[in-house]
């Protein structure tokens, strides 16, 4: 072994520190397909953008707490840890005393780093719960729309989002995969908490070797690897539902749908069929109707529907499709299509959601409870759906809909964030910048000077996983990893836990927070609890010392051939779904009863406000896809070697079709300006035929580098200056950041320099 095992969200690896302090990272020997993202780790560790000392925004330090439009623009004053902790503890006490715990927002969404104990969000939630509570956030940016929708359709989101049918069952049985959004390999390296053996690329290669037919429905050909040999249907972005309806119409009118399955296992097909045939609205959703909307020839749609009915067919939808306005519809329509084929619950057939969205979807590792830090009970019941952060800050007291409830935004005075980067992950960053001017105080724990750290008042330097001890593993992982410390903390960085323990001590609940344990004792404790559970369930697990010395232990596998909804299919009366009817709800009386025009009671085609068929396309004729990057995880380690290699002209690469490039006089390598009414960013042009004409792709995660006071222009290429801060619908209020209409122009002048690779102006008044 050339190092000790450690793990990251993009996989386990071996790491060692050289005498000169540099670290060497190599793939884990058990991993058949290690992630290229490992290449970002060494360069990130001691990069110039590490936060080396606690820092306070000068305006906050001199004028004290209060709303300020200087956030993101002021200099920072470095201070001692004691001073910083006194300031944070004092401000928490002030806000609690004056406004109550309802005024503290501690949702703190974000992926942070792998590691079960030093999970930033769990640490912060435990701390704030003991401090009297906090306004929390619910659901995720990843699949927040499906999390709310699926319980109405199949009783729970767990089985669908938790992995679906296993790859071996698919490889053995599936004849045709119709993949809406494809199965993008780049995402399959990523799993929250880590993954030691990345299986998806190997299974895709097996499917190709077997000759399994795969239909890729996406404007981007890269949404399935070339070696799979997929048939590419370059659909117009945001119109998958029209294509699905065209397919469903062909099935229904040619008698290819499975009426027996629909009667026995589903409710509400008749209502949907009346819509499909045009009986309820006068518009038959036939292939001739669907073709011009989605850009696929009507004959091709009809032929595909017939092929789907004649084969063992798996209909899959990526999570990216629900990360859009009306994002409920592609998920609901795909489930309905699969139900019409009657193969849900049959090996290799039916419905899947998230193949290619995450590494563990389709994995057959056992779904085990991992060592977990208890977060305690949050006495404050107020929450927001996670993607409504800017609305909350901008509109305290406003009422809004969410999943059948009328909720009210709280009045937030203190925002506390650890382990997330909202100035990467949220939409319409110019609007978010305005929203972040509203609270009295923003506290951020961060290893790096991200855009979010720069928008804070108090920045506390956090360690990365290489600088501390932990235990790491992901859902369905093959290994539990003993994450030894590899290097000493960079600068004066401290672990999130130690920062919060020091604050808890100042606020009088230090003992309750730490329970008297050191970090090593916590790790042993969490491991011990986990081991007891494992032994109780009949699994083996070594004692802690053995595990720690060995560096890892193997985890049990789940059933290799698993099929989603198999037990439901076998006996729907004895194993009903947890829906009101106990059946798959193609029409949901509950959702219909909410009366939301943007999410009626069965799947429908609803035009988004921004797509190539909307009036706005007259001014902004290109459809931007802002999807997950292939060269980093979200915004993490954007300064690392893998991420930097893919930049064009020092900026994030914007992919566009040669026709669109030629029409604008753009050549590969040019600096371009991408813009719409919300904002603009600079990017580097990458010209490719692997994209539908009229579509451009700019992935998320280039560090936001705002130019000017309004923060509506990014020098570096963060697409979230362009995306709209609107929800998927009133049902789920999910993130809709995947799409926006834009225009692109070649930039002939001097573009603003990219400055985000250096720290913000720091006043080094304090030296240890
Ligand atoms: P990350 O870049 O992973 O993005 O959003 P998220 O905020 O999770 O941010 C994690 C931060 O944690 C990093 O800044 C990292 O430095 C910091 N960090 C790492 N380790 C530690 C630690 O130990 N302690 C502390 N305190 N900090 C740490 C991701 C979100 O973006 C997600 S999940 C999705 S799916 C969304 N996808 C899209 C999309 O498809 N399209 C658009 N337009 N926008 C999206 N945004 C969403």
């Amino acid at each position: 072994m050339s190092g000790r095992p450690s793990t990251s969200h993009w996989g386990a690896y071996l790491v060692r520190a050289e005498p000169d302090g540099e670290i060497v990272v190599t793939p884990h020997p058990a991993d058949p397909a290690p992630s290229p993202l490992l290449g970002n780790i060494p360069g990130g560790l001691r990069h110039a953008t590490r936060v080396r000392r606690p820092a306070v925004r000068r305006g906050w330090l001199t004028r004290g707490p209060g709303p300020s439009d200087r956030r993101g623009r002021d200099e920072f004053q470095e201070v001692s840890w004691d001073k910083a902790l006194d300031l944070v503890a004092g401000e928490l006490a002030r806000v609690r005393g004056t406004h109550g715990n309802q005024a503290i927002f501690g949702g703190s969404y974000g992926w942070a780093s792998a590691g079960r104990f030093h999970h930033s969000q769990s640490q912060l939630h435990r701390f704030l719960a003991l401090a009297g509570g906090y306004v929390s956030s619910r659901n995720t940016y990843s699949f927040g729309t499906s999390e709310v929708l699926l319980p109405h359709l199949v009783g729970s989101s767990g089985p669908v989002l938790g992995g679906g049918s296993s790859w071996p069952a698919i490889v053995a049985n599936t004849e045709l995969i119709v993949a809406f959004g494809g199965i993008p390999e780049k995402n399959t390296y990523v799993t929250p908490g880590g993954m030691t053996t990345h299986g998806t690329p190997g299974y895709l290669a097996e499917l190709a070797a077997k000759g399994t037919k795969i239909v890729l429905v996406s404007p981007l050909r890269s949404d399935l690897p070339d070696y799979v040999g997929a048939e590419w249907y370059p659909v117009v972005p945001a119109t998958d539902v029209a294509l699905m309806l065209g397919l469903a119409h062909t099935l229904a009118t040619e008698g290819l749908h499975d009426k027996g399955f629909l009667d026995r296992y589903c409710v509400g097909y008749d209502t949907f069929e009346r819509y499909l045939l045009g009986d309820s609205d006068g518009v038959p959703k036939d292939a001739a109707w669907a073709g011009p909307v989605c850009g696929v020839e009507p004959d091709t749609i009809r032929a595909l529907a017939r092929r789907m009915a004649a084969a063992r067919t798996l209909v899959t939808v990526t999570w990216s499709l629900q990360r859009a306005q009306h994002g409920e519809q592609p998920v609901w329509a795909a489930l309905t299509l699969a139900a019409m084929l009657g193969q849900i619950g049959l090996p290799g057939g039916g419905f899947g959601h998230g193949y290619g969205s995450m590494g563990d979807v389709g994995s057959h590792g056992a779904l085990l409870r991992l060592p977990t830090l208890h977060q305690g009970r949050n006495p404050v019941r107020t929450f927001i759906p996670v993607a409504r952060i800017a609305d909350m800050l901008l509109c305290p007291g406003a009422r809004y809909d969410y999943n059948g409830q009328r909720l009210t935004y709280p009045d937030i005075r203190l925002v506390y964030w650890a382990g997330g980067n909202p100035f990467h992950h949220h939409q319409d960053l110019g609007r978010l910048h305005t929203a972040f001017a509203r609270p009295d105080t923003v506290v951020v724990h961060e290893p790096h000077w991200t855009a979010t750290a720069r928008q804070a008042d108090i920045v506390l330097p956090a360690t990365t996983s290489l600088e501390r001890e932990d235990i790491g593993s992901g859902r369905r992982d093959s290994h539990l990893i003993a994450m030894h410390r590899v290097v000493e903390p960079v600068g004066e960085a401290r672990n999130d836990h130690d920062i919060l323990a020091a604050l808890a001590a100042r606020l009088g609940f230090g003992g309750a927070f730490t329970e008297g344990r050191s970090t090593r004792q916590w790790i042993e404790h969490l491991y011990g609890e986990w081991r007891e559970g494992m032994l109780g369930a009949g699994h083996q697990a070594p004692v802690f010392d053995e595990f720690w010395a060995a560096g890892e232990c193997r985890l049990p596998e789940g059933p290799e051939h698993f099929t989603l909804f198999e037990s439901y299919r076998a006996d729907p009366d004895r194993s009903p779904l947890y829906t009101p009817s106990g059946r798959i709800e193609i029409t949901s009386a509950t959702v219909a009863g909410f009366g939301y025009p943007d999410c009626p009671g069965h799947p429908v085609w609803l035009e988004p406000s921004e797509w190539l068929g909307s009036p706005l396309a007259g001014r902004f004729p290109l459809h931007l896809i802002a999807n997950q990057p292939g060269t980093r995880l979200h915004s993490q380690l954007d300064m690392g070697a893998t991420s930097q290699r893919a930049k064009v002209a020092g900026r994030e690469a914007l992919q566009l079709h040669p026709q669109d490039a030629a029409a604008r006089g753009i050549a590969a390598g040019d600096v371009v300006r991408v813009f719409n009414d919300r904002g603009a960013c600079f990017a580097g042009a990458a010209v490719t035929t692997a994209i539908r004409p009229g579509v451009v792709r700019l992935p998320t995660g280039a560090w936001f580098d705002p130019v000017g006071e309004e923060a509506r222009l990014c020098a570096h290429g963060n697409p979230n200056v362009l995306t709209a801060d609107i929800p998927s619908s009133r049902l789920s209020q999910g993130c809709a950041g995947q799409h926006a209409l834009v225009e692109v122009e070649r930039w002939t002048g001097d573009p603003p320099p990219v400055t985000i690779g250096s720290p913000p102006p720091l006043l080094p008044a304090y030296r240890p």
Side-chain angles (χ1 to χ4, degrees), residues 37-113:
L37 273 56
L38 292 177
N40 285 331
I41 296 174
L45 178 63
R46 294 195 182 83
H47 192 261
T49 54
R50 280 301 297 266
V51 184
R52 285 178 160 74
R53 271 178 285 279
V56 185
R57 187 172 66 78
R58 201 163 62 138
W60 195 94
L61 201 55
T62 51
R63 280 187 290 281
S68 172
D69 63 4
R70 295 288 307 162
R71 288 195 182 104
R73 291 191 282 142
D74 246 353
E75 299 157 321
F76 282 88
Q77 174 86 62
E78 292 188 327
V79 298
S80 69
W81 267 110
D82 273 347
K83 168 101 177 168
L85 292 167
D86 287 346
L87 290 173
V88 176
E91 179 58 1
L92 277 165
R94 183 192 73 85
V95 171
R96 280 193 313 181
T98 314
H99 305 286
N101 285 72
Q102 286 260 119
I104 299 174
F105 181 65
S108 187
Y109 181 82
W111 273 57
S113 291

Side-chain angles (χ1 to χ4, degrees), residues 263-315:
D263 284 347
R264 176 139 173 73
Y265 295 98
C266 307
V267 294
Y269 173 72
D270 291 351
T271 309
F272 169 72
E273 196 189 71
R274 280 198 291 283
Y275 165 78
L276 187 67
L277 300 181
D279 296 346
S280 55
D281 65 354
V283 184
K285 317 301 175 303
D286 56 12
W289 165 86
V293 179
C294 68
V296 180
E297 285 299 318
D299 279 348
T300 310
I301 298 175
R302 290 185 200 103
L304 179 59
R306 291 172 198 138
R307 283 170 68 195
M308 290 168 79
R312 180 57 57 88
T313 300
L314 179 67
V315 180

Side-chain angles (χ1 to χ4, degrees), residues 561-603:
H561 288 258
F562 172 79
T563 297
L564 185 64
F565 298 126
E566 197 167 24
S567 56
Y568 173 60
R569 186 179 187 109
D571 194 341
D573 297 322
R574 289 186 60 185
S575 311
L577 301 177
Y578 296 111
T579 52
S581 62
R583 301 289 186 258
I584 297 170
E585 302 222 341
I586 291 176
T587 299
S588 160
T590 309
V591 175
F594 296 154
Y596 301 144
D598 54 4
C599 189
H602 59 72

Side-chain angles (χ1 to χ4, degrees), residues 111 113 323 421 425 445-446 468 496 626 628 635-636 720 737:
W111 273 57
S113 291
R323 218 173 291 135
N421 189 1
H425 71 225
H445 297 190
E446 246 295 338
R468 59 197 185 210
D496 291 304
Q628 300 299 319
S635 71
Q636 294 199 29
N720 275 327

